[in-house]
Amino acid sequence: MEISVPGVGSVLVVEDDADLRAAVADILEDAGFEVHVAENGQDALHVFGELGHQGERPGLVLLDLMMPVMDGFAFMAHVRADPGLSQVPIVVFSASVREPPEGARAMLRKPFEIPLLLDTVAGFCAQG
Amino acid sequence: MPTTLADFLLQQQDALMEAWEAEVRAMPAAQALSRLALRDGLPRLLEVVATLMRERPRGRVVSGMGPIPDLHALERLGEGFNLRQVVTEYRLLRGCVLRLWTSRAQAAPSPEEERVFHEALDEAMATSVSRYTRARERTLQALDRISTAALGSEDVAGFLPRLLLVLRETVAAVDVAAVLLRDGDMLRVESVVGEGLEPGARVPVGEGFTGTIAASRQPLLVHEAGTDAHVAERTLREAGLRALYGVPLVLDSELLGVALMGSRASSELSEEDLLLFRAMAARATALLSQAQAHARERQARAEAEASLARLRESEAGLRRWEEVFTRLGVGVAVMSADDNVLLDVNPAFARMHGYTPEELKGRPLEDTFAPEARGALPRHVAAAHSKLSHEYESLHLRKDGSRFPAFSHETAFRDASGRVVQRVATVLDITQRRAVEVDRQRLLAAIEAERARLASVLDQMPAGVFIAEAPGGRLLMTNRQVEEITGQPFQASSPLEDYTRSSPEVLHPDGRPYAPEERPLMRSVLHGEVVRGEELLLPRADGQRLTVLVSSAPIRDRDGAIVAAVATMVDVTERRRAQEAALQAALFGERLIAIVSHDLRNPLNAIQLSATQLLHSEVLAERERRLVTRLARSADRMRRMISELLDFTRGRLGGGIPIQRVAGDVRAVVRQGVEELEAAWPERSLRVQVGPGRYEGQWDADRLLQVVSNLGGNALQYGPPELPVTFRLSDAGDAVVLEVHNGGEPIPPEMLPRLFDPFRRGTSAGHAGGAGAGLGLGLYIVEQVVKGHGGRIEAQSAAEAGTTFRVTLPRAPPD
């Protein structure tokens, strides 16, 4: 099935569950997005750093909240404090909260389905 | 026989003087004088006259007499002779000489001798009279001045200095004058003019110059005071005096003192000065005596006045006591000690017994006692005698025969030998006091009854109760439960501090010990604090540690003052243990929620996403597509079950499903829910009926969507496929009503009451088959969401009407 997505860009998927992370990454890649992955907040910052060296920046971060090492809240606090990163839109996916926390543009409640995932990502990447 | 008158005067001198003395003694002034003093210078005078007669005509009579007539005149003046007596002396002497001459010589004297004799006697008489007169004049003047000086002052201290000043002014030769007064065996210098003696100095009688004069009571004259053996006083010896003369001051044989005068310039004092001094001393003596008498009289008068004043005062005191005795409201009776007869009673005593005082006087004390009380009287009398004072109560008798209780205080009075002579009793009618006492007893009994009732009420209370009084916190009362809770026996009425000290390990929940005044009951007693449900840890006697809730409050009197405080104590040890267990369970549940919501959903979401993605792939064969479809449907069922389980757990452990109200329109929620159901049940007919009115309100749209979805899902599942499911909205004012209706078989009546219990499922699997079946939590969650909105849900089910779930949702949260 072909899914056309306007405005293809790069997405950073931050999720500690490896299967879910891989499933999301596959779906997004199949839809034509460039996907980077990270296991937790700290790993994500590291990815940001590497991309930065290459002069790149993700157009969107899909962020899980409950993660070991550095959770989604701490990651958002870091991003907000960094002028170079604070403009990157963040969409959180979580099972435990019902409203997007401060710093997040939107939220996907787990478990989410493919159309909602693609609509949401496409909305931000199209803008970016 | 002598031949001349001159010889006769010399040879017959003794006979002449004896004859003269015999005649002179007839004069009163001469009677007291000794022979020597009486004769004085007269024998010498006769010798001088005889010499003059022989020397005739060479001798000059006027100048040949020497000082004899002068001195004699002064002596006589000093001895109190008047002028006529002085003249009479000379006249008698002349007569005696001539008479004896005539009788013994038998011849007349020669004319020349006779002339000289008369001339000499005349001259002596004239000289004496002149001298006497002059000296008396001076003395009189001095005495007059003394009298004048004495007039101004009645006291010795005032007049003596003036006297001495007069003396010094009158006698030119005097440099020092002093008066010493006798004080027992001593002479004390009372007053001094000039230098040489210190006022206040003392000399013993009999010693020294002054003491000798005092002891001998004779005047004494020394010519060189600095060296004379008579003068032993150091001050007198060193005063630079030469002539020193002292006279005793004697009145009626009593020695009052000694007067002294001294001269620095001269070793001699003239006879006239000595005479004058003696005269002045005599006058001073009289005045001194008078002054002393005055002083004594003044003192006596003062004493008399004082004693009179005392007497008056004591009379006034006596009158006052009489007054008190008469007017006193307390009965007073005076009784003889030996026969107990009433000697005197005051009006109050008589009145209380119904008599007049006169009626009672003389009667036995016994008459005032009730006959039944008289037996004890001897005992009281004996006690009063032995103890001096004795108090007792007894029954008294009135004149009219009635009785009254009385309180008596008896005091015994003793004479010098210690024997009791009389007793005085004060008697108080205590009828009133007795009545008050009876009232008090009644009141006490009532209070005791109240107390007993309170105690039994308290014992029935399920809580431990303490009552402590202000201000010290003495424990007044506790109930049985206190003992049961603490396992410690109580001693009521022991101060709270004692009690709290006996259980010192009362602790705050965090383990800090309580200070005694920090405990709730003491805080109420001391500060009026109201304590509600303070938790503390209490050690039991058996070593167990209890958790108790203590409440306390002050008890105030009408004026708001704290009089006591009451505390209740409830043992919540078990409750706390249960709460603790529940808390632990809740925490466990929370963890379970976290696991379910997060950890399970991640793999589930991965399955769902992957299966869906696979279904979208075009390479799957039909068989594999069925397998993947089954996979996706099972994952979806699992998602719903997890969701329901999560809501159920939240509802049970977290105090209900959380509701987040946002302003919205319930019609939109219903339409969305219906659309989703239509998508899931495309072959079924769903109807929405919206009545007129408002549908805005504050609600949690996501949760309401769950309600619509669950109720609609149930209706679709249990209703026959050919019948529609109807959603009906209506405006009910403050609330909105949603009804979901389906036809078909009704719900069995026995199931209706437990329709909303968790883990319930319908008896028929419904038309959706096992694939749609959940955990049986759907209706439970619906009810929780409705309740979370403050609303209610009812179900009605009947064969003809079908089944209707009716949800009433208030527009706003309850206040």
Side-chain angles (χ1 to χ4, degrees):
Chain A
M1 173 182 156
E2 279 289 338
I3 298 172
S4 68
V5 178
V8 172
S10 74
V11 179
L12 172 59
V13 179
V14 190
E15 166 64 63
D16 63 322
D17 188 299
D19 287 342
L20 182 59
R21 185 171 68 236
V24 170
D26 286 349
I27 290 166
L28 291 178
E29 277 174 357
D30 286 355
F33 291 98
E34 182 187 341
V35 178
H36 304 280
V37 292
E39 288 181 17
N40 55 53
Q42 199 173 56
D43 196 21
L45 289 175
H46 183 68
V47 172
F48 260 114
E50 284 191 342
L51 290 175
H53 286 307
Q54 301 159 23
E56 288 181 34
R57 200 181 69 172
L60 176 70
V61 178
L62 281 178
L63 180 69
D64 185 22
L65 286 177
M66 301 300 175
M67 291 180 295
V69 185
M70 180 188 284
D71 67 14
F73 297 101
F75 173 79
M76 284 192 287
H78 269 282
V79 168
R80 269 204 305 281
D82 187 335
L85 303 179
S86 60
Q87 297 305 311
V88 178
I90 296 174
V91 172
V92 298
F93 36 41
S94 169
S96 51
V97 298
R98 295 183 60 192
E99 297 292 329
E102 192 185 344
R105 298 282 187 87
M107 199 182 95
L108 290 170
R109 288 183 63 194
K110 291 180 184 173
F112 49 85
E113 292 179 11
I114 293 174
L116 184 60
L117 170 68
L118 293 178
D119 283 354
T120 304
V121 172
F124 284 101
C125 278
Q127 286 167 0
Chain B
M1 284 300 285
T3 54
T4 64
L5 185 54
D7 292 342
F8 177 75
L9 288 179
L10 293 172
Q11 290 162 12
Q12 297 297 316
Q13 192 187 61
D14 280 350
L16 283 171
M17 287 318 295
E18 270 180 37
W20 174 79
E21 192 180 330
E23 292 185 27
V24 164
R25 288 278 184 205
M27 292 193 300
Q31 284 165 8
L33 296 179
S34 67
R35 167 174 288 186
L36 198 64
L38 188 63
R39 292 184 183 181
D40 189 42
L42 290 183
R44 175 77 188 125
L45 184 73
L46 287 181
E47 287 170 17
V48 170
V49 170
T51 308
L52 283 173
M53 283 156 64
R54 281 182 184 157
E55 287 174 355
R56 214 50 211 159
R58 284 179 285 119
R60 302 245 326 141
V61 173
V62 176
S63 57
M65 303 291 285
I68 297 167
D70 262 6
L71 292 176
H72 183 68
L74 292 174
E75 281 297 324
R76 287 299 185 250
L77 182 59
E79 286 154 358
F81 281 58
N82 61 28
L83 191 57
R84 166 177 283 276
Q85 289 166 331
V86 172
V87 172
T88 302
E89 274 191 328
Y90 283 105
R91 184 171 54 80
L92 291 175
L93 182 62
R94 188 197 307 264
C96 281
V97 168
L98 292 178
R99 194 170 60 248
L100 286 181
W101 168 258
T102 305
S103 65
R104 306 236 177 130
Q106 306 289 327
S110 73
E112 183 57 22
E113 271 189 324
E114 196 172 353
R115 187 190 59 80
V116 171
F117 173 71
H118 284 298
E119 198 177 326
L121 276 187
D122 287 349
E123 181 58 31
M125 199 185 303
T127 303
S128 280
V129 166
S130 167
R131 188 65 178 141
Y132 178 97
T133 309
R134 210 170 60 239
R136 196 181 63 162
E137 189 66 24
R138 186 169 166 229
T139 306
L140 285 175
Q141 278 176 3
L143 293 179
D144 186 43
R145 290 184 64 192
I146 289 171
S147 299
T148 308
L151 267 182
S153 53
E154 285 185 344
D155 60 326
V156 177
F159 114 85
L160 275 182
R162 295 187 211 186
L163 167 74
L164 295 175
L165 277 174
V166 169
L167 172 71
R168 204 168 63 163
E169 285 164 10
T170 310
V171 186
V174 169
D175 294 307
V176 175
V179 171
L180 297 89
L181 293 183
R182 189 168 72 97
D183 183 6
D185 289 337
M186 302 294 285
L187 291 164
R188 194 170 59 85
V189 178
E190 179 70 28
S191 189
V192 181
V193 291
E195 291 171 4
L197 277 173
E198 290 295 317
R202 296 164 82 88
V203 180
V205 173
E207 287 180 20
F209 182 74
T210 331
T212 304
I213 294 166
S216 65
R217 302 194 175 192
Q218 291 295 321
L220 188 59
L221 174 66
V222 297
H223 299 288
E224 294 295 341
T227 55
D228 197 288
H230 284 104
V231 184
E233 295 93 329
R234 192 176 53 80
T235 49
L236 283 178
R237 292 177 75 90
E238 293 173 358
L241 294 173
R242 298 185 69 189
L244 179 62
Y245 184 58
V247 292
L249 305 178
V250 176
L251 187 81
D252 295 336
S253 79
E254 188 198 351
L255 179 78
L256 300 181
V258 173
L260 300 178
M261 69 171 179
S263 172
R264 291 202 173 85
S266 170
S267 63
E268 292 292 343
L269 291 166
S270 74
E271 282 295 329
E272 190 181 334
D273 286 346
L274 296 181
L275 171 70
L276 180 62
F277 186 60
R278 284 199 304 277
M280 290 172 77
R283 176 59 60 94
T285 303
L287 290 172
L288 255 180
S289 163
Q290 200 179 324
Q292 284 179 342
H294 260 300
R296 275 195 298 275
E297 189 202 317
R298 266 202 308 279
Q299 190 182 349
R301 192 161 55 223
E303 279 172 10
E305 277 172 4
S307 87
L308 193 65
R310 279 196 298 276
L311 189 67
R312 284 204 190 104
E313 199 177 320
S314 86
E315 273 177 5
L318 207 59
R319 272 201 302 280
R320 205 157 51 233
W321 279 114
E322 272 177 15
E323 190 91 338
V324 169
F325 182 74
T326 308
R327 298 203 175 178
L328 203 62
V330 175
V332 180
V334 183
M335 294 152 291
S336 65
D338 42 8
D339 54 7
N340 285 315
V341 163
L342 294 167
L343 299 175
D344 199 1
V345 301
N346 74 342
F349 184 89
R351 207 162 43 239
M352 71 172 70
H353 290 89
Y355 292 93
T356 64
E358 285 65 34
E359 284 178 310
L360 277 177
K361 284 180 198 172
R363 292 179 72 144
L365 171 66
E366 201 181 56
D367 286 2
T368 61
F369 278 70
E372 60 269 32
R374 285 174 192 165
L377 197 52
R379 190 161 49 78
H380 293 310
V381 170
H385 279 235
S386 64
K387 297 195 300 186
L388 286 185
S389 98
H390 174 57
E391 292 179 350
Y392 59 97
E393 287 182 14
S394 61
L395 202 58
H396 281 234
L397 183 67
R398 291 196 191 89
K399 188 179 182 179
D400 62 9
S402 62
R403 287 145 169 78
F404 66 94
F407 172 82
S408 300
H409 176 108
E410 282 202 16
T411 307
F413 289 85
R414 293 164 190 272
D415 61 12
S417 69
R419 194 176 64 89
V420 176
V421 287
Q422 60 182 29
R423 300 194 319 278
V424 175
T426 52
V427 181
L428 206 59
D429 181 343
I430 55 171
T431 310
Q432 286 274 318
R433 198 207 285 177
R434 279 278 168 85
V436 169
E437 179 66 17
V438 167
D439 270 358
R440 201 175 76 88
Q441 290 297 342
R442 202 162 47 226
L443 213 56
L444 280 177
I447 289 169
E448 192 46 48
E450 276 301 316
R451 196 184 154 87
R453 194 150 58 209
L454 178 60
S456 68
V457 168
L458 290 182
D459 275 349
Q460 297 310 312
M461 286 185 67
V465 179
F466 304 81
I467 299 174
E469 70 177 0
R474 195 171 67 94
L475 208 54
L476 295 176
M477 197 180 258
T478 62
N479 66 351
R480 199 160 36 79
Q481 281 67 24
V482 169
E483 204 168 312
E484 282 175 10
I485 292 171
T486 63
Q488 263 172 327
F490 261 133
Q491 291 177 341
S493 89
S494 67
L496 187 61
E497 283 130 30
D498 287 355
Y499 166 65
T500 52
R501 209 171 292 130
S502 72
S503 56
E505 291 172 11
V506 175
L507 305 171
H508 288 276
D510 60 8
R512 282 181 300 117
Y514 267 89
E517 69 279 3
E518 196 192 354
R519 300 183 184 196
L521 185 57
M522 280 309 275
R523 269 148 59 202
S524 295
V525 166
L526 296 175
H527 314 300
E529 189 180 334
V530 176
V531 181
R532 290 198 173 88
E534 186 163 306
E535 190 174 310
L536 48 86
L537 302 179
L538 197 69
R540 269 181 66 97
D542 57 13
Q544 219 185 328
R545 180 173 286 179
L546 301 180
T547 304
V548 293
L549 284 185
V550 177
S551 301
S552 70
I555 299 171
R556 296 178 187 273
D557 64 12
R558 221 175 294 167
D559 303 325
I562 299 170
V563 292
V566 59
T568 59
M569 179 171 76
V570 181
D571 181 1
V572 294
T573 312
E574 284 306 320
R575 200 193 296 172
R576 280 284 176 274
R577 249 177 232 150
Q579 281 174 351
E580 184 65 23
L583 186 64
Q584 290 302 327
L587 287 174
F588 178 76
E590 289 290 330
R591 264 179 43 225
L592 196 67
I593 289 172
I595 291 164
V596 168
S597 65
H598 189 262
D599 299 348
L600 284 186
R601 282 191 188 194
N602 280 337
L604 176 67
N605 210 357
I607 293 169
Q608 263 190 315
L609 289 175
S610 302
T612 311
Q613 183 73 346
L614 199 58
L615 281 176
H616 291 160
S617 158
E618 291 170 355
V619 297
L620 281 182
E622 189 53 32
R623 186 170 176 278
E624 281 78 14
R625 184 172 298 277
R626 279 204 308 277
L627 291 174
V628 176
T629 303
R630 197 182 305 142
L631 192 66
R633 203 164 50 225
S634 293
D636 189 53
R637 270 180 56 219
M638 194 166 163
R639 177 190 60 78
R640 273 191 285 119
M641 280 192 277
I642 288 172
S643 189
E644 283 184 356
L645 199 59
L646 186 64
D647 283 342
F648 166 74
T649 315
R650 276 193 186 132
R652 273 294 162 99
L653 301 178
I657 290 172
I659 299 298
Q660 290 172 2
R661 291 173 184 268
V662 177
D665 192 323
V666 78
R667 288 174 297 195
V669 177
V670 171
R671 283 192 188 110
Q672 186 188 340
V674 169
E675 279 171 16
E676 286 179 13
L677 287 168
E678 278 173 338
W681 302 74
E683 69 282 11
R684 299 294 295 269
S685 165
L686 284 85
R687 294 181 189 167
V688 177
Q689 298 175 352
V690 178
R694 290 173 52 246
Y695 293 94
E696 295 84 8
Q698 302 270 332
W699 10 68
D700 187 328
D702 285 352
R703 290 297 181 190
L704 287 190
L705 190 60
Q706 238 180 320
V707 170
V708 174
S709 178
N710 278 353
L711 291 179
N714 277 353
L716 288 165
Q717 189 179 337
Y718 294 106
E722 65 278 10
L723 291 177
V725 170
T726 308
F727 295 83
R728 199 174 296 124
L729 274 173
S730 52
D731 179 354
D734 288 342
V736 170
V737 175
L738 167 68
E739 289 170 314
V740 180
H741 174 263
N742 65 273
E745 273 189 43
I747 300 167
E750 69 274 11
M751 277 194 66
L752 276 176
R754 287 148 66 191
L755 214 48
F756 300 100
D757 288 358
F759 304 109
R760 306 294 311 173
R761 295 180 206 203
T763 47
S764 68
H767 305 275
L775 292 169
L777 289 170
L779 284 179
Y780 171 79
I781 289 164
V782 165
E783 190 190 35
Q784 291 300 309
V785 170
V786 172
K787 280 184 176 172
H789 281 86
R792 64 178 191 277
I793 181 166
E794 303 119 321
Q796 292 175 331
S797 192
E800 297 77 26
T803 300
T804 303
F805 284 83
R806 180 187 163 90
V807 175
T808 306
L809 291 168
R811 293 176 195 271
D815 294 330

